[in-house]
Amino acid sequence: MSKLPPMSAVRVFEAAARHESFTRAAEELGMTQAAVSYQIRMLEDRIGAPLFTRHPRNVRLTERGRQLASAVTEAFDLLRAAFAGIDETVQATLRITTLATLAANWLIPRLGRFQQLHPNIAVQVHVDQHILDFTEHDFDVGIRSGQGVWPGLEAQLLFPNQFTPVCSPELAGRVHLREPLDLLKLPLIAPSDPWWKEWFEAAGIPDVDLSDRPDYYLGTQQYDGMAAMAGQGVALVNPYFFRADLAAGRLVQPFDLVVTANRSYWLVYPKARRRAPKVQAFREWLTSEVASDAEKALPAGSRQIVA
């Protein structure tokens, strides 16, 4: 095609592709379903290929439709971001989605420094253990654990996901912890966590059997660490998030072995928002925070192994 198709048809296609419904697209755009169907048919005729398969109760994108929808959605996101940037009020709001332990033990205690640097940016933090779809939720940035590949998102590496056993000094005093195998004399928090086996394997104890232990599962490292501080068992946590507790003696790290998982923590944001001033400000501040923490991430003498 030497010319772009009418923008009215492209706008209708973007809404229909997002909802996979002509009816919902019509409701969003204030059109009749027949008008939506006509615009889609006109676009299909111009392209020379069907963009949707029609079913009695819904429609589905074809392979060509999915290919076009990805590019059109990104283009519309760029347009929305551009207009939002022009129309942005002095008091911008940065919406962050992240994980519970990272939020409570690392991000929130230092957010005051970001707001001192950027007093005109209000911050809202949403905590969720599940990966949220940025196309369905209105977030500007997220901090995720994974391997750095999420469709439609830019990803910047922050720090590795690591784990090591920790417990209260009182619990450690019950048993003389001379070697990793001695940990099996103590209650373990979340023994069904596969990272326990990885840590024991890295410690030279393959095929450790934890199946007969009650699965004391709390859901997040934050709660695991709290239970460990209360003397309820040995928790497997990222020491990066519990440096203050380790330094204050509320937790002890019995062994210097720290295993690095095959996943890390990443800052992510929609590609269309990468130039938004508030996103740029947060990215630069977060990068600075991570850099200043780099030498203090692990207790002195810790031994690291990549799982």
Side-chain angles (χ1 to χ4, degrees), residues 219-289:
T220 70
Q221 287 188 54
Q222 180 190 12
Y223 297 152
D224 292 348
M226 291 171 65
M229 280 184 264
Q232 297 173 13
V234 184
L236 197 63
V237 302
N238 189 334
Y240 193 66
F241 298 141
F242 293 89
R243 284 178 302 151
D245 299 305
L246 289 164
R250 292 184 289 270
L251 288 173
V252 296
Q253 181 184 335
F255 304 101
D256 63 3
L257 175 63
V258 178
V259 178
T260 299
N262 64 348
R263 49 200 294 125
S264 301
Y265 287 96
W266 304 77
L267 172 67
V268 299
Y269 43 87
K271 294 179 180 179
R273 299 189 185 183
R274 59 183 176 269
R275 293 189 180 89
K278 59 186 177 182
V279 172
Q280 289 182 327
F282 185 72
R283 182 176 64 235
E284 291 170 2
W285 171 79
L286 201 62
T287 301
S288 175
E289 289 290 318

Side-chain angles (χ1 to χ4, degrees), residues 2-244:
S2 58
K3 297 181 180 179
L4 286 172
M7 286 303 296
S8 57
V10 176
R11 179 168 173 257
V12 168
F13 170 74
E14 189 272 339
R18 182 160 28 88
H19 293 297
E20 284 201 315
S21 167
F22 289 178
T23 301
R24 292 177 64 186
E27 291 172 354
E28 177 182 313
L29 299 174
M31 303 170 63
T32 65
Q33 184 176 345
V36 168
S37 182
Y38 171 77
Q39 293 284 352
I40 296 297
R41 181 66 68 187
M42 183 175 64
L43 196 58
E44 289 175 326
D45 290 342
R46 185 180 180 92
I47 292 173
L51 299 173
F52 294 91
T53 56
R54 278 76 167 173
H55 302 281
R57 294 183 179 275
N58 55 36
V59 294
R60 291 286 184 268
L61 286 163
T62 63
E63 183 176 350
R64 185 67 60 85
R66 285 193 296 271
Q67 178 184 356
L68 183 61
S70 176
V72 169
T73 298
E74 184 173 349
F76 270 82
D77 283 345
L78 284 168
L79 286 171
R80 292 186 187 102
F83 281 102
I86 293 173
D87 193 38
E88 192 170 0
T89 61
V90 175
Q91 180 70 18
T93 300
L94 180 73
R95 297 173 178 86
I96 306 168
T97 173
T98 188
L99 303 167
T101 302
L102 189 145
N105 292 28
W106 190 82
L107 179 62
I108 291 175
R110 62 187 68 204
L111 267 180
R113 293 202 284 269
F114 174 75
Q115 295 198 287
Q116 286 179 346
L117 291 171
H118 304 281
N120 293 327
I121 300 178
V123 176
Q124 295 179 359
V125 178
H126 176 88
V127 173
D128 201 304
Q129 291 302 102
H130 302 286
I131 292 179
L132 301 181
D133 188 341
F134 276 74
T135 63
E136 296 181 3
H137 299 85
D138 188 21
F139 294 112
D140 299 296
V141 298
I143 303 178
R144 292 181 174 177
S145 174
Q147 296 181 333
V149 180
W150 292 277
L153 299 180
E154 297 276 1
Q156 176 180 324
L157 178 64
L158 296 177
F159 43 81
N161 199 341
Q162 300 173 318
F163 50 95
T164 194
V166 297
C167 62
S168 69
E170 294 77 16
L171 186 66
R174 293 184 193 174
V175 176
H176 186 41
L177 297 174
R178 293 171 299 179
E179 57 183 5
L181 195 60
D182 292 332
L183 288 175
L184 298 180
K185 301 174 184 177
L186 296 172
L188 301 184
I189 297 172
S192 62
D193 185 338
W195 284 0
W196 271 115
K197 288 192 175 182
E198 290 191 26
W199 188 87
F200 276 114
E201 286 177 3
I205 309 171
D207 303 322
V208 63
D209 184 9
L210 304 177
S211 60
D212 61 340
R213 292 175 175 258
D215 191 10
Y216 184 29
Y217 176 73
L218 299 176
T220 70
Q221 287 188 54
Q222 180 190 12
Y223 297 152
D224 292 348
M226 291 171 65
M229 280 184 264
Q232 297 173 13
V234 184
L236 197 63
V237 302
N238 189 334
Y240 193 66
F241 298 141
F242 293 89
R243 284 178 302 151

